[in-house]
Amino acid sequence: GINSRNISLKLLELPHLSASVARNEAIRNSSGDFLTFLDADDTLSQDSLEYRVRFMESHPKLDAVFTDANIIDRDENAYAVRKPSQDLTNESLAMAFLSGFRMPFLWQTLMLRPTAIEKAGLFNPKYVRGEDVDFTYNVLMNCNAGYLPHVTYNWSLANHDLSSRMRNRIEAIKVRPAIIGAHTNGMQRAYYTARGLSFDLMKLAYEVVSYKR
C-alpha cells in the first residue's frame, strides 16, 4: 500500500458550512498531485488510494478517474456494486447524472488532478443540495476522465433516519431544476426537468416504503 510515512495531513477547523463551501476550502488547501473525497459515514476499500494513484500515473493524460463502489446496507454488508455501463460516453454519463434516476457511478469515487479543477471549476456554493451532481457533470463534460473497473469506495445507506432522508430528497427536488437549467436549454431542459422530477418523486416514495421494511 501507500507508505503512510510519506503522507502529511492538514486538519481544517471550519464553522458549520454547506458541503460545497467546505469541500472548496479543502480543495484550496490541498497541495498534492491528486485529490479525492470521503464522506463521514463512508469508508474506502482496501488499497483504494493505491489503485487509483497507480491508474492515474499509468494514464498521464487523464484529468480524473472514477471507479466502482460497494453499496453497504444497515447490517454493514455490501449487497450491491455500483458500476457504470462501459458503453456510455462521458457525455452520456454526465446527462445521466442530470436525469436523477440512478447515478451511473458514485461521484465520491473520483480522483482528480489539479487540472480537473482548473477545467471544471469548484463546487457551486449556491447549491445546498445537488452540488455533487453539478460538480460531476462539469468534470465529465470538461475533463478527460477515465474509468477504473475496481471497487475503491464503500457507500453506506444506513446512517440517516427517515425524516433526514426525506428532507434531503425534498431539498434535491427543489434544486434539481436550477442545476438542469444551468446545463441545458429549450426542449432538452424541459425534458430533463420533467424526467428528473418524476424520478425524484419515485425515490421519495421509495424512501418511505424501504425504510418501513
Side-chain angles (χ1 to χ4, degrees):
I2 295 176
N3 190 337
S4 60
R5 290 176 298 180
N6 296 328
I7 297 177
S8 61
L9 299 177
K10 180 187 291 187
L11 177 63
L12 302 178
E13 296 188 24
L14 304 173
H16 183 68
L17 302 171
S18 68
S20 293
V21 174
R23 289 174 184 141
N24 288 343
E25 281 301 306
I27 292 171
R28 293 188 184 101
N29 280 274
S30 64
S31 58
D33 295 328
F34 304 105
L35 175 71
T36 193
F37 304 92
L38 176 63
D39 285 353
D41 49 358
D42 300 331
T43 61
L44 298 179
S45 62
Q46 186 175 8
D47 296 327
S48 169
L49 298 177
E50 183 175 43
Y51 273 107
R52 287 181 286 172
V53 167
R54 285 182 175 177
F55 184 84
M56 292 293 282
E57 288 179 340
S58 64
H59 296 80
K61 293 184 178 181
L62 288 181
D63 301 304
V65 62
F66 53 91
T67 76
D68 302 335
N70 285 324
I71 309 300
I72 309 298
D73 64 16
R74 296 178 185 176
D75 298 319
E76 299 185 356
N77 296 316
Y79 74 92
V81 175
R82 179 67 59 84
K83 58 177 62 180
S85 174
Q86 296 191 44
D87 60 349
L88 294 179
T89 64
N90 280 1
E91 182 177 359
S92 297
L93 291 171
M95 297 310 294
F97 268 90
L98 280 190
S99 76
F101 174 57
R102 181 179 183 274
M103 301 305 178
F105 63 88
L106 293 185
W107 77 269
Q108 295 95 328
T109 69
L110 282 168
M111 177 170 277
L112 312 165
R113 282 193 169 90
T115 54
I117 302 300
E118 295 170 5
K119 295 177 181 179
L122 297 168
F123 289 86
N124 193 326
K126 75 178 182 180
Y127 298 134
V128 178
R129 299 289 301 177
E131 75 291 338
D132 48 355
V133 170
D134 178 73
F135 178 78
T136 307
Y137 177 92
N138 288 332
V139 169
L140 290 170
M141 294 296 286
N142 296 293
C143 301
N144 186 12
Y147 169 54
L148 170 62
H150 185 85
V151 171
T152 67
Y153 198 91
N154 300 314
W155 187 58
S156 176
L157 289 174
N159 291 299
H160 302 289
D161 58 28
L162 179 59
S163 61
S164 297
R165 290 163 66 173
M166 291 185 67
R167 182 172 60 252
N168 291 341
R169 185 63 61 193
I170 291 171
E171 289 297 328
I173 291 173
K174 291 179 181 179
V175 76
R176 190 177 299 281
I179 296 174
I180 292 173
H183 300 296
T184 59
N185 52 58
M187 291 301 297
Q188 186 185 47
R189 177 180 298 173
Y191 170 76
Y192 276 99
T193 300
R195 180 184 170 97
L197 178 60
S198 298
F199 289 148
D200 280 328
L201 291 174
M202 290 169 57
K203 288 180 179 179
L204 184 62
Y206 177 76
E207 294 281 12
V208 176
V209 174
S210 63
Y211 191 85
K212 289 182 177 180
R213 290 178 181 174

